Amino acid sequence: MSAREKILNAIASNQPELTALPLMDKNVLIRYEDVYAQFKTVLESIGGKVKLIPSLTELKEQLIADKASGNFVVNAIADLGKLDNQVASFTALDLEKVEKAYIKGTAGVAENGAVWIYESQMLNRLLPFICQHLIIVIDIAAIVATMHQAYENIDVAKEGFGAFIAGPSKTADIEQSLVIGAHGARSATIYVVG
């Protein structure tokens, strides 16, 4: 038996007993009278923009105008028009010039302004992080009060990757000075349909 096998066997035989997860009393979780208003307030306080729209018509027109501008714009939302599926195989170098990305979100969280996006909704897992301006679309009915409720509504094991995104990229690591867009999108606009 090799030293590696001895170490792995020792680890396997010395595992702690499993402890059951605590039961959550959902009656004591945070509640908001208006989850959309809370979502908007929090997201705007962290640098994002939120706009309530009655339908996707406005966004379809905006997407057409953005594509006509000559900038590298990616559409990952079938309801807005033809998908830009070719970006699925693009590398970071291929995607570095993406000006705007339109992506559908699955769930919004009022307590922290985050939106869950599955990898399949991104077309390419780099897209929401490498674009200059991120446009996310969610339904108003998909906004929940807490992360507990969000995790009940999504299946994190469904795909190989997914992410909660809250606003544009930001950091204050350097001399406690806030920098927007340091590690990802410079702006994030969430369109809430409803």
Side-chain angles (χ1 to χ4, degrees), residues 84-144:
D84 294 309
N85 288 319
Q86 73 277 12
V87 301
S89 62
F90 283 15
T91 66
L93 287 175
D94 299 326
L95 293 171
E96 73 173 326
K97 292 189 169 112
V98 174
E99 184 67 18
K100 272 190 184 177
Y102 289 77
I103 300 174
K104 177 86 171 144
T106 298
V109 185
E111 74 176 333
N112 62 9
V115 177
W116 175 261
I117 304 172
Y118 286 109
E119 181 175 15
S120 61
Q121 293 172 303
M122 298 176 193
L123 296 181
N124 184 315
R125 67 172 56 182
L126 297 171
L127 190 59
F129 310 106
I130 203 166
C131 67
Q132 293 295 313
H133 305 283
L134 178 60
I135 308 293
I136 301 175
V137 179
I138 62 170
D139 295 318
I140 197 165
I143 300 175
V144 294

Side-chain angles (χ1 to χ4, degrees), residues 5-18:
E5 289 172 330
K6 285 180 186 177
I7 292 169
L8 292 175
N9 287 337
I11 292 170
S13 65
N14 289 303
Q15 294 293 316
E17 288 184 33
L18 294 178

Side-chain angles (χ1 to χ4, degrees), residues 38-113:
Q38 179 67 22
F39 177 78
K40 179 178 170 59
T41 299
V42 172
L43 195 54
E44 289 177 347
S45 75
I46 59 174
K49 298 175 193 142
V50 180
K51 187 168 183 187
L52 184 63
I53 56 175
S55 71
L56 293 176
T57 305
E58 176 184 336
L59 272 180
K60 287 178 186 177
E61 293 167 2
Q62 181 179 313
L63 177 62
I64 291 167
D66 285 341
K67 289 214 176 229
S69 72
N71 290 325
F72 189 2
V73 177
V74 176
N75 177 34
I77 305 172
D79 292 339
L80 293 182
K82 184 176 180 275
L83 294 176
D84 294 309
N85 288 319
Q86 73 277 12
V87 301
S89 62
F90 283 15
T91 66
L93 287 175
D94 299 326
L95 293 171
E96 73 173 326
K97 292 189 169 112
V98 174
E99 184 67 18
K100 272 190 184 177
Y102 289 77
I103 300 174
K104 177 86 171 144
T106 298
V109 185
E111 74 176 333
N112 62 9

